[in-house]
Short mmCIF file of all heavy atoms in Angstrom, two decimals:
data_model
loop_
_atom_site.label_atom_id
_atom_site.label_comp_id
_atom_site.label_asym_id
_atom_site.label_seq_id
_atom_site.Cartn_x
_atom_site.Cartn_y
_atom_site.Cartn_z
N ASN I 1 -103.46 77.72 37.33
CA ASN I 1 -104.21 76.84 38.21
C ASN I 1 -105.69 77.00 37.87
O ASN I 1 -106.33 77.96 38.31
CB ASN I 1 -103.91 77.20 39.67
CG ASN I 1 -104.52 76.24 40.64
OD1 ASN I 1 -105.69 75.89 40.52
ND2 ASN I 1 -103.75 75.82 41.62
N SER I 2 -106.22 76.09 37.09
CA SER I 2 -107.62 76.21 36.67
C SER I 2 -108.59 75.94 37.82
O SER I 2 -109.69 76.47 37.83
CB SER I 2 -107.91 75.29 35.49
OG SER I 2 -107.67 73.94 35.85
N LEU I 4 -108.34 77.02 40.90
CA LEU I 4 -108.50 78.26 41.65
C LEU I 4 -108.80 79.46 40.76
O LEU I 4 -109.27 80.48 41.24
CB LEU I 4 -107.25 78.53 42.50
CG LEU I 4 -106.94 77.47 43.56
CD1 LEU I 4 -105.58 77.74 44.19
CD2 LEU I 4 -108.04 77.43 44.61
N GLY I 5 -108.48 79.36 39.49
CA GLY I 5 -108.79 80.44 38.56
C GLY I 5 -107.76 81.55 38.49
O GLY I 5 -108.11 82.72 38.50
N PHE I 6 -106.48 81.18 38.41
CA PHE I 6 -105.46 82.21 38.23
C PHE I 6 -104.24 81.62 37.54
O PHE I 6 -104.00 80.42 37.56
CB PHE I 6 -105.07 82.86 39.54
CG PHE I 6 -104.07 82.10 40.37
CD1 PHE I 6 -102.75 82.51 40.42
CD2 PHE I 6 -104.44 81.00 41.10
CE1 PHE I 6 -101.81 81.82 41.18
CE2 PHE I 6 -103.52 80.30 41.87
CZ PHE I 6 -102.19 80.71 41.91
N SER I 7 -103.48 82.50 36.92
CA SER I 7 -102.18 82.14 36.36
C SER I 7 -101.21 83.28 36.66
O SER I 7 -101.63 84.39 36.98
CB SER I 7 -102.27 81.87 34.86
OG SER I 7 -102.59 83.05 34.17
N VAL I 8 -99.93 82.97 36.55
CA VAL I 8 -98.88 83.95 36.83
C VAL I 8 -97.93 83.98 35.65
O VAL I 8 -97.44 82.94 35.22
CB VAL I 8 -98.11 83.60 38.12
CG1 VAL I 8 -97.03 84.64 38.42
CG2 VAL I 8 -99.06 83.48 39.31
N SER I 9 -97.66 85.18 35.14
CA SER I 9 -96.67 85.35 34.08
C SER I 9 -95.31 85.61 34.71
O SER I 9 -95.17 86.53 35.52
CB SER I 9 -97.04 86.54 33.19
OG SER I 9 -98.26 86.30 32.55
N LEU I 10 -94.34 84.79 34.35
CA LEU I 10 -93.00 84.92 34.90
C LEU I 10 -91.99 85.17 33.79
O LEU I 10 -92.18 84.70 32.66
CB LEU I 10 -92.62 83.64 35.66
CG LEU I 10 -93.47 83.31 36.88
CD1 LEU I 10 -93.16 81.92 37.38
CD2 LEU I 10 -93.22 84.34 37.98
N ILE I 45 -94.16 79.91 44.57
CA ILE I 45 -93.45 79.69 43.32
C ILE I 45 -91.97 79.85 43.62
O ILE I 45 -91.53 80.91 44.06
CB ILE I 45 -93.91 80.68 42.24
CG1 ILE I 45 -95.43 80.60 42.04
CG2 ILE I 45 -93.17 80.43 40.93
CD1 ILE I 45 -96.00 81.69 41.17
N MET I 59 -91.96 83.41 45.39
CA MET I 59 -93.13 84.25 45.22
C MET I 59 -94.32 83.55 45.87
O MET I 59 -94.93 82.67 45.27
CB MET I 59 -93.41 84.51 43.74
CG MET I 59 -94.49 85.54 43.52
SD MET I 59 -94.84 85.88 41.77
CE MET I 59 -93.23 86.31 41.17
N ILE I 61 -98.08 83.09 47.23
CA ILE I 61 -99.42 83.59 46.94
C ILE I 61 -100.41 82.89 47.87
O ILE I 61 -100.58 81.68 47.81
CB ILE I 61 -99.81 83.35 45.47
CG1 ILE I 61 -98.81 84.06 44.55
CG2 ILE I 61 -101.24 83.82 45.21
CD1 ILE I 61 -98.98 83.73 43.09
N LEU I 89 -103.53 90.94 45.70
CA LEU I 89 -102.91 91.01 44.38
C LEU I 89 -103.97 91.06 43.29
O LEU I 89 -103.87 91.83 42.34
CB LEU I 89 -102.00 89.80 44.15
CG LEU I 89 -100.77 89.69 45.04
CD1 LEU I 89 -100.15 88.31 44.94
CD2 LEU I 89 -99.77 90.77 44.66
N ASP I 90 -105.00 90.22 43.40
CA ASP I 90 -106.08 90.15 42.42
C ASP I 90 -107.16 89.23 42.98
O ASP I 90 -106.98 88.64 44.04
CB ASP I 90 -105.57 89.63 41.08
CG ASP I 90 -106.35 90.19 39.89
OD1 ASP I 90 -107.53 90.58 40.09
OD2 ASP I 90 -105.81 90.21 38.79
N ARG I 91 -108.26 89.10 42.25
CA ARG I 91 -109.35 88.23 42.69
C ARG I 91 -110.21 87.82 41.51
O ARG I 91 -110.20 88.46 40.47
CB ARG I 91 -110.21 88.91 43.75
CG ARG I 91 -110.98 90.11 43.24
CD ARG I 91 -111.98 90.69 44.24
NE ARG I 91 -111.39 91.15 45.47
CZ ARG I 91 -112.01 91.16 46.65
NH1 ARG I 91 -113.25 90.74 46.75
NH2 ARG I 91 -111.42 91.59 47.74
N ASN I 92 -110.95 86.74 41.73
CA ASN I 92 -112.04 86.37 40.82
C ASN I 92 -113.30 86.34 41.68
O ASN I 92 -113.28 86.84 42.80
CB ASN I 92 -111.73 85.05 40.07
CG ASN I 92 -111.46 83.88 41.00
OD1 ASN I 92 -112.03 83.78 42.08
ND2 ASN I 92 -110.59 82.98 40.57
N TYR I 95 -112.27 83.64 44.78
CA TYR I 95 -111.03 83.68 45.55
C TYR I 95 -110.35 85.04 45.48
O TYR I 95 -110.45 85.75 44.48
CB TYR I 95 -110.04 82.63 45.04
CG TYR I 95 -110.53 81.22 45.19
CD1 TYR I 95 -110.96 80.49 44.08
CD2 TYR I 95 -110.57 80.60 46.43
CE1 TYR I 95 -111.42 79.19 44.20
CE2 TYR I 95 -111.03 79.29 46.56
CZ TYR I 95 -111.45 78.60 45.44
OH TYR I 95 -111.91 77.32 45.57
N PHE I 97 -106.45 86.51 45.88
CA PHE I 97 -105.04 86.12 45.86
C PHE I 97 -104.25 87.24 46.49
O PHE I 97 -104.40 88.41 46.11
CB PHE I 97 -104.59 85.84 44.42
CG PHE I 97 -105.50 84.85 43.75
CD1 PHE I 97 -106.51 85.28 42.90
CD2 PHE I 97 -105.37 83.50 44.01
CE1 PHE I 97 -107.38 84.37 42.30
CE2 PHE I 97 -106.24 82.58 43.42
CZ PHE I 97 -107.24 83.02 42.57
N ILE I 117 -91.26 91.82 39.41
CA ILE I 117 -92.28 90.96 38.80
C ILE I 117 -93.66 91.34 39.33
O ILE I 117 -94.62 91.50 38.57
CB ILE I 117 -91.99 89.46 39.06
CG1 ILE I 117 -90.71 89.04 38.33
CG2 ILE I 117 -93.17 88.59 38.63
CD1 ILE I 117 -90.19 87.67 38.75
N LEU I 118 -93.77 91.53 40.64
CA LEU I 118 -95.06 91.86 41.24
C LEU I 118 -95.56 93.23 40.79
O LEU I 118 -96.77 93.43 40.62
CB LEU I 118 -94.97 91.79 42.76
CG LEU I 118 -94.81 90.37 43.32
CD1 LEU I 118 -94.46 90.41 44.79
CD2 LEU I 118 -96.06 89.55 43.07
N SER I 120 -95.32 94.38 37.92
CA SER I 120 -95.84 94.25 36.55
C SER I 120 -97.22 93.60 36.52
O SER I 120 -97.75 93.33 35.45
CB SER I 120 -94.86 93.43 35.69
OG SER I 120 -94.90 92.06 36.05
N HIS I 121 -97.82 93.36 37.70
CA HIS I 121 -99.15 92.73 37.81
C HIS I 121 -99.20 91.42 37.03
O HIS I 121 -99.96 91.29 36.08
CB HIS I 121 -100.24 93.70 37.37
CG HIS I 121 -100.18 95.02 38.08
ND1 HIS I 121 -100.57 95.16 39.39
CD2 HIS I 121 -99.75 96.23 37.67
CE1 HIS I 121 -100.40 96.42 39.76
NE2 HIS I 121 -99.90 97.08 38.74
N PRO I 122 -98.41 90.43 37.47
CA PRO I 122 -98.28 89.19 36.71
C PRO I 122 -99.43 88.20 36.85
O PRO I 122 -99.50 87.21 36.13
CB PRO I 122 -97.01 88.58 37.28
CG PRO I 122 -97.05 88.99 38.73
CD PRO I 122 -97.59 90.42 38.68
N ILE I 123 -100.35 88.46 37.78
CA ILE I 123 -101.43 87.51 38.02
C ILE I 123 -102.61 87.83 37.12
O ILE I 123 -103.05 88.98 37.04
CB ILE I 123 -101.85 87.51 39.50
CG1 ILE I 123 -100.69 87.00 40.35
CG2 ILE I 123 -103.10 86.68 39.73
CD1 ILE I 123 -100.96 86.94 41.80
N VAL I 124 -103.09 86.80 36.44
CA VAL I 124 -104.28 86.90 35.61
C VAL I 124 -105.32 85.98 36.23
O VAL I 124 -105.03 84.81 36.50
CB VAL I 124 -103.98 86.46 34.15
CG1 VAL I 124 -105.25 86.46 33.32
CG2 VAL I 124 -102.92 87.35 33.54
N THR I 125 -106.51 86.52 36.49
CA THR I 125 -107.56 85.71 37.10
C THR I 125 -108.64 85.38 36.09
O THR I 125 -108.85 86.10 35.11
CB THR I 125 -108.18 86.42 38.31
OG1 THR I 125 -108.74 87.65 37.88
CG2 THR I 125 -107.15 86.66 39.40
N PHE I 126 -109.32 84.29 36.37
CA PHE I 126 -110.46 83.84 35.58
C PHE I 126 -111.32 83.01 36.51
O PHE I 126 -110.95 82.78 37.67
CB PHE I 126 -110.01 83.06 34.34
CG PHE I 126 -108.94 82.01 34.61
CD1 PHE I 126 -109.31 80.71 34.94
CD2 PHE I 126 -107.59 82.34 34.55
CE1 PHE I 126 -108.34 79.76 35.19
CE2 PHE I 126 -106.62 81.39 34.82
CZ PHE I 126 -106.99 80.09 35.14
N GLU I 127 -112.46 82.59 36.04
CA GLU I 127 -113.36 81.85 36.91
C GLU I 127 -112.83 80.44 37.16
O GLU I 127 -112.41 79.75 36.22
CB GLU I 127 -114.77 81.80 36.33
CG GLU I 127 -115.45 83.17 36.39
CD GLU I 127 -115.37 83.82 37.75
OE1 GLU I 127 -115.83 83.23 38.75
OE2 GLU I 127 -114.82 84.95 37.83
N PRO I 128 -112.82 80.01 38.44
CA PRO I 128 -112.27 78.69 38.77
C PRO I 128 -113.14 77.56 38.24
O PRO I 128 -114.35 77.72 38.06
CB PRO I 128 -112.25 78.69 40.30
CG PRO I 128 -113.27 79.69 40.70
CD PRO I 128 -113.32 80.73 39.61
#
Side-chain angles (χ1 to χ4, degrees):
N1 187 314
S2 60
L4 298 172
F6 82 104
S7 66
V8 181
S9 296
L10 296 170
I45 304 170
M59 188 179 305
I61 300 172
L89 294 167
D90 210 336
R91 66 172 61 210
N92 57 33
Y95 297 106
F97 307 98
I117 293 168
L118 290 169
S120 72
H121 306 287
I123 295 180
V124 176
T125 60
F126 47 90
E127 290 310 302

